[in-house]
Structure formats: structure tokens, C-alpha cells
Amino acid sequence: MRTYLDFEKPIADLEARLTETKKLAQHSGVDVSDAVDVLEQSIDKLRREIFENLTRWQRVQLSRHPDRPYTLDYISLMCDQFIELHGDRTVRDDPAMVGGFCDIDGQTVMIIGQQKGRNTKQRQHRNFGMPNPEGYRKALRLMQMAEKFRKPIITFIDTPGAFPGLEAEERGQGEAIARNLRDMMTLKVPVICIVIGEGASGGALGIGIGDRVMMLENTWYSVISPENCSTILWRSWDYKEQAAEAMKLTARDMKDAGLVDGIIEEPVGGAHNDHQGMAQILKSVILATLDELNALSPQERINQRIDKFCSMGVVLE
Amino acid sequence: MSWFIRKDKGIQTPTEMKREAPDGLWYQCPNCKKVMHTREHKLNAYTCVHCNYHEKIGSDAYFAVLFDNNTFTELDPDMISGDPLTFRDTKAYTDRIKTTIAKTGLKDAVRTGYGKMNDLDITIACMDFGFIGGSMGSVVGEKIARAIDHSLKHKQPFLMISRSGGARMMEAGFSLMQMAKTSAKLALLAQAKVPYVSLLTDPTTGGVTASFAMLGDFNIAEPEALIGFAGPRVIRETIGKDLPKGFQSAEFVLDHGFLDFIVDRKDLKDKLTSLLKMLQ
């Protein structure tokens, strides 16, 4: 059963009518191909219209769409082989952060990303994509291993934030993220980071230091979620739409501000509407970007990476 | 006795007039309520002589405590915040900045400078909680980055004094990337093997904890400082339980292995000097 967001409802209605019409034709044997054509065209048109005029808040909703592909979906759609690796070698394995060596078009790469669940049980198991410190430490362990074996790193960012729990504090959530920020700066291998869903705050940035940082079209990346921003600045949950507008948190906004390097287009109707199509686009972008980065020496990449992040910010003097 | 009858409701005296003693002569500790002479309090590095309560002080006071004869050269003293997002919540960000500058006399939430500490060259960056909760926006990130550059260039130790609620929401994505920027500079400082001491004071939370504050060669803290990634309220709401006593205190963080030591402010200057001299 597909899930439709509020603004997708008109599409859902037309799709229901299309299914009805087809069913009717099957039962009665009447030729309805004209009607089907018309319906299909209007669905296509409507979908384009809706997706060309999305508000920032609607993109936030899309980034959390329950049918959206997650890290492991992309890995299985893009890669011929995946060997998942577990554990931070200190405390435990964090199911909210997954990673391992992948074979993508004949190349070995390390893919690491936050992982959300599809149903209630999985969601709990994955802690809603909110890693604990051991998740960030596992990510760094895998990155350093990739560096050791000279394999490029690709990270998929999709988190509502690092987990704000009691044990997370005891085990040093802040320290774990901070260490990743510093140590990712000097990784000798190419690093590509892609926001595939939600990019919330330090929890996202903790695997977000790369030579190229890109965002899928219907994602967001900022310092806090619009809901929490609304709660703090407006003292009420109700201003989340305004908060989303004010924070300018979409892929387009972040690209315009020079805070990310690129936007990756989604198929019409969003990534959730066409997993296969999205994975193909993603794969070709990754392969092209790897080619670009492989042309640079490790030191050039590190210098450019550091310079890029150091140039971010707007001050008056 | 009609002149004893209060005709107007409420207390009419403006707050600044309601002093029992002349301003600046006596200091009452907010913790143990005991009174001491202001000069005595200041000589004790703004800690209570009775109960050791550490008054929350700003960059002015820290510089006075640490730099010899309070002599230092300030870096980027005039840098102020831009408004890259033309951000507006209940108030425009630019107005918020203007009123905060007027109210606090500060330009933003960090001041940076270099000078001598017991004859040792040192660069210090110190946050001011009074400026929008010590929140980190572009100015904080940029000034810390440049202070680290100064440390690097002159190969002198860098001390960061953190006191912050975390990121500055009004700079959204820009604020987030200051975590990356400061960490990048610290990566360079580490490569150059220049010592970095991070002092965490009450409170240090959010994006500041998750970047430069936890990246010291030495992470040290003042007694009882609140230190954490998520704030206590958020954690309480997440787990639906009350938090144990002392949770996220400096002592708790030391116990869990994320601090090298806790230091009384009045011993800070000498202890830091001894430590840094051992590295020479």
C-alpha cells in the first residue's frame, strides 16, 4: 500500500480512478484505452505541476516520505556486491549506522550511511535513523579502513539527528561527532557525501565532511529540524512551515548559499515514486564524481576539502 | 496613618535602584548566599571564597585572569555578524544583533586575543554566553578559525574557553558549517603538533560540544559545569524519565572518560602554565 502525503492526494485520486477504469475494462471487455491515455496524461501533468511548485515544508515532508529509498535500498539497487561490516570495536554495533565494502560498476567503494526502518519493528531496531556515539565511531573505523586499503568513501546522510539519549551522553555523543569532523578532513581517499533524506544538524554533519557534498532534490540539510526551530524561536510547534522558509534548508537553498556542492535531480514525483530510476541517477553521479576526484592527488583533495569548509560563513568587518 | 497605605499597585522602584549596598562593593554568592568583598571575589578569580561557586564570567574576566597584567592584543575586534539568510522569526536577525550589541557591549559571542600567560606566549579564544546564549554563528566560527591560524603561524599553544548553548539557529546551515570549519583548522593545528587546550565551562552543549570543545589535546572543565551534546530537557523528553543527579556535570563527564581533569578557576593559570611548560 503506497502512502500519499496531503499534497499528493490529487495524484492518488487520479491513480485510483485509473485503476478502477482498468479493472472495469477487464471485467466488461470494453475498450477504454482512450480513457486510460487521458488519465495517464493528466496524472503525469498533475505530478509535474505539483512537484514544480513545492514549498520548503513540502520538501521536508518528502524527505521523510515513508516510501523513500534508504541507504540499504540504494546499496542493493546500485551495487553488485555488498559486504556489510559491523561494530565500533568498543561498545556495540549501531543498527542506525550501516556500512561496508561495495562493488559499484567494478570498483570497490566503502559506503556508509544512516539507516531508517520501514515498519514499526524495524524503525525501533534502527532507532529511527538516529545513531548513538558508537554509530559515529563505527563510521570512522570503516572510513579509516577504506583509507588503509585506498578505497573511496561514499556516505549517505539520512537522519533526524544524533540520538539525544542518556547512554549517548554517557558514551560521548559530542566527542564522537567532533572527532569525525576533524578526522574526515584529512582522509587521503576521495570522500563523497550525499544527503538522501533528512540532514539534521551535527548528527548529519558527523558523516558529512567530503570532497563533494551533494543533496537529492527533495531533501533538507540544516542545523536543526524546522519543528524544533519553531519550538525554540516561536515557542510553539505550529510555526514549522515558517521556520522551514526562514532556515532556507532545501537543496536549492544550500547550493545557492555555497554550503553544498551539488543537487541531484529526482525522477518526476520524487525518489519514493521510482526507486530504480533514482538509484540509476545516483549511481551515474557517483561514478562521474569519483572520476573527477581520482584525478587529484590525496594532498590536493585534502587541501581543497579543508579550504572549502573554511570559506563557509558570512561576516562583516 | 494614610501615608502607610499603598495606593499604587506593585513596587515602583526601578530594579537598578534596588540595592542594599552601594554598587560594586559587596558580592553575594548566589549559591551559599554568603557575602564577600568584591575585590576579594575578583582576586579569587570570581569564585566564592566560602563555597567555591564559580561565577559565570565572560571574556573580559577570563582575559584578566589569564593574561599577565591583563595585557593582550585582541584579534578581529570589530568583526560582526552578517545576515546571509535575511532571517526573521518573531524579530529580524539584524535587529536582534543590533540590540544585543547595544545591550552587552560585545560584538558577538566570542573574543580572541594573544599575549603572555606567566611569560608563555598563548592565543586564547573565549566565548561570551551573554551574546545570544553564546551561540555559534559565522562570526564565532571565523574568529576561532583565525585565532587558530594565529596559533599555527606563531607555533604558540591555543586555549579555547567554551560557554555556549550550541548553534545559532538564525544562521541555519551557515551555523552548522562552523562546526566543520573549526574542526578543519584544529586538524591543521594537530598536524603541526601545536598544543590545544579546550576548557569547558558552564554550560557547554550542542554543536560546540560536538566540534571544537571536545577536540582538545587536553579537555578540561570547571567544577560542576554542565557539559553535553543534547540539553537535559531534550533528553528528559526523549527517554520520558528524570535524569540522575549530577548527570552531564563536569564530574560525570570526567568519570566517563571525556575530560582530562577538572580545575578550579583560581588554579587555572598556574596549572595550564605547568602543563604547557612540560610540553616544551
Side-chain angles (χ1 to χ4, degrees):
Chain A
M1 194 45 200
R2 275 204 51 181
T3 316
Y4 291 93
L5 300 171
D6 279 350
F7 59 88
E8 290 181 299
K9 284 275 150 62
I11 301 173
D13 294 343
L14 282 184
E15 280 182 343
R17 261 172 62 196
L18 181 66
T19 321
E20 279 296 305
T21 315
K22 282 180 176 167
K23 221 192 267 171
L24 198 77
Q26 257 181 9
H27 287 299
S28 62
V30 181
D31 180 20
V32 289
S33 54
D34 285 351
V36 167
D37 275 354
V38 171
L39 268 175
E40 277 174 348
Q41 275 168 21
S42 39
I43 289 173
D44 199 48
K45 188 159 162 268
L46 186 65
R47 187 173 275 138
R48 271 173 209 284
E49 270 171 25
I50 289 175
F51 277 80
E52 269 164 23
N53 297 297
L54 291 170
T55 65
R56 292 187 170 96
W57 174 247
Q58 284 170 336
R59 290 202 198 269
V60 172
Q61 289 176 291
L62 280 174
S63 77
R64 301 168 176 163
H65 199 294
D67 297 333
R68 229 181 136 77
Y70 300 141
T71 297
L72 289 174
D73 299 318
Y74 284 121
I75 289 176
S76 67
L77 289 167
M78 294 187 323
C79 304
D80 298 322
Q81 225 195 119
F82 171 51
I83 298 177
E84 189 172 354
L85 303 168
H86 294 275
D88 72 336
R89 297 292 187 270
T90 306
V91 180
R92 64 188 268 271
D93 183 50
D94 188 346
M97 184 80 81
V98 297
F101 282 119
C102 299
D103 179 333
I104 179 168
D105 210 33
Q107 289 184 60
T108 303
V109 298
M110 172 63 77
I111 301 188
I112 296 163
Q114 283 113 354
Q115 178 66 32
K116 293 178 175 175
R118 272 290 159 225
N119 54 39
T120 309
K121 205 175 158 190
Q122 278 181 17
R123 281 190 196 109
Q124 274 175 348
H125 174 60
R126 301 289 182 187
N127 200 26
F128 303 88
M130 294 185 282
N132 273 284
E134 49 273 23
Y136 293 98
R137 295 194 177 113
K138 166 178 164 181
L140 188 61
R141 179 177 84 82
L142 297 186
M143 290 189 240
Q144 285 165 344
M145 177 150 61
E147 182 181 43
K148 177 176 174 182
F149 297 112
R150 285 186 289 173
K151 303 299 175 201
I153 298 162
I154 293 147
T155 70
F156 289 147
I157 296 166
D158 189 10
T159 182
F163 187 57
L166 194 101
E167 289 85 4
E169 293 293 320
E170 288 177 341
R171 296 199 285 267
Q173 188 72 284
E175 194 272 349
I177 293 172
R179 181 184 294 267
N180 282 18
L181 302 186
R182 185 189 62 197
D183 292 353
M184 286 182 80
M185 288 288 171
T186 50
L187 286 168
K188 294 191 182 76
V189 293
V191 186
I192 303 174
C193 308
I194 301 169
V195 182
I196 58 167
E198 296 186 88
S201 195
L205 192 64
I207 56 165
I209 307 296
D211 302 304
R212 296 285 185 278
V213 181
M214 291 178 277
M215 294 173 71
L216 300 195
E217 199 182 343
N218 298 313
T219 63
W220 66 274
Y221 191 11
S222 197
V223 76
I224 190 170
S225 73
E227 288 95 330
N228 286 328
C229 179
S230 162
T231 314
I232 294 172
L233 292 181
W234 281 267
R235 312 219 169 270
S236 151
W237 194 263
D238 303 332
Y239 295 86
K240 50 189 187 290
E241 276 127 324
Q242 264 152 284
E245 288 298 315
M247 287 162 72
K248 304 200 169 67
L249 40 58
T250 65
R252 172 51 51 206
D253 295 326
M254 290 292 280
K255 174 77 173 69
D256 288 347
L259 299 176
V260 299
D261 302 301
I263 304 169
I264 301 173
E265 274 189 33
E266 297 187 12
V268 178
H272 62 283
N273 200 41
D274 182 3
H275 286 204
Q276 189 67 49
M278 186 68 248
Q280 282 315 311
I281 297 172
L282 195 58
K283 183 174 175 176
S284 62
V285 171
I286 288 172
L287 290 173
T289 312
L290 280 179
D291 279 347
E292 268 175 50
L293 295 174
N294 279 326
L296 301 170
S297 73
Q299 198 54 50
E300 281 173 320
R301 280 192 298 262
I302 292 170
N303 292 348
Q304 289 181 11
R305 197 184 299 154
I306 288 178
D307 288 348
K308 177 177 76 178
F309 284 101
C310 286
S311 70
M312 291 177 183
V314 175
V315 300
L316 304 173
E317 38 187 344
Chain B
M1 300 285 241
S2 64
W3 58 86
F4 284 136
I5 297 169
R6 192 191 287 279
K7 286 182 189 155
D8 300 325
K9 278 192 177 163
I11 296 164
Q12 302 289 302
T13 324
T15 315
E16 60 271 20
M17 304 284 286
K18 281 189 293 183
R19 295 259 179 207
E20 286 162 23
D23 198 19
L25 196 54
W26 297 98
Y27 169 84
Q28 189 187 29
C29 171
N31 186 45
C32 69
K33 310 287 179 213
K34 286 187 184 151
V35 172
M36 69 209 82
H37 204 280
T38 318
R39 205 163 55 96
E40 192 183 12
H41 184 240
K42 192 179 167 187
L43 283 175
N44 211 36
Y46 304 93
T47 60
C48 176
V49 293
H50 306 290
C51 72
N52 199 31
Y53 173 78
H54 281 54
E55 176 70 61
K56 298 180 187 193
I57 56 173
S59 55
D60 249 346
Y62 274 108
F63 287 164
V65 168
L66 292 169
F67 284 121
D68 298 343
N69 308 314
N70 197 14
T71 306
F72 62 95
T73 311
E74 190 165 348
L75 293 161
D76 308 298
D78 297 321
M79 189 190 292
I80 58 166
S81 190
D83 180 19
L85 302 172
T86 47
F87 192 95
R88 185 178 188 93
D89 48 277
T90 50
K91 203 173 174 182
Y93 179 44
T94 43
D95 291 342
R96 206 181 278 276
I97 291 284
K98 263 184 225 149
T99 44
T100 314
I101 289 176
K103 198 177 73 190
T104 59
L106 297 160
K107 297 281 166 60
D108 211 290
V110 75
R111 282 172 71 222
T112 54
Y114 60 92
K116 296 214 184 266
M117 178 180 76
N118 290 329
D119 283 331
L120 206 84
D121 283 311
I122 189 165
T123 308
I124 305 180
C126 180
M127 302 191 78
D128 280 294
F129 196 76
F131 200 99
I132 321 187
S135 56
M136 169 161 62
S138 300
V139 174
V140 170
E142 185 62 26
K143 281 176 88 166
I144 292 173
R146 291 191 196 178
I148 297 170
D149 282 342
H150 185 270
S151 258
L152 256 174
K153 192 173 161 198
H154 300 280
K155 298 260 185 255
Q156 57 186 231
F158 177 58
L159 169 65
M160 177 75 227
I161 304 171
S162 298
R163 168 166 288 159
S164 169
R168 188 172 296 168
M169 268 165 288
M170 300 76 137
E171 292 191 33
F174 286 94
S175 162
L176 181 65
M177 295 307 162
Q178 303 313 306
M179 294 170 65
K181 178 196 282 186
T182 49
S183 305
K185 291 289 184 190
L186 289 173
L188 296 175
L189 197 68
Q191 279 183 343
K193 299 188 167 52
V194 176
Y196 167 38
V197 181
S198 169
L199 172 68
L200 293 88
T201 71
D202 189 47
T204 300
T205 59
V208 168
T209 306
S211 59
F212 54 83
M214 274 291 168
L215 290 176
D217 294 306
F218 311 98
N219 292 334
I220 64 178
E222 289 187 349
E224 293 179 31
L226 176 84
I227 298 164
F229 173 65
R233 189 183 52 81
V234 177
I235 300 170
R236 207 159 35 230
E237 280 168 13
T238 308
I239 62 171
K241 272 188 278 195
D242 277 338
L243 301 172
K245 203 169 175 290
F247 181 67
Q248 294 186 313
S249 66
E251 292 72 13
F252 170 94
V253 181
L254 178 78
D255 260 2
H256 284 87
F258 294 97
L259 293 176
D260 288 284
F261 54 84
I262 294 171
V263 59
D264 278 357
R265 194 185 293 146
K266 55 181 178 293
D267 306 326
L268 177 65
K269 182 173 179 174
D270 289 343
K271 187 151 182 181
L272 274 181
T273 311
S274 309
L275 175 66
L276 293 171
K277 279 201 170 141
M278 288 175 123
L279 303 175
Q280 285 180 337

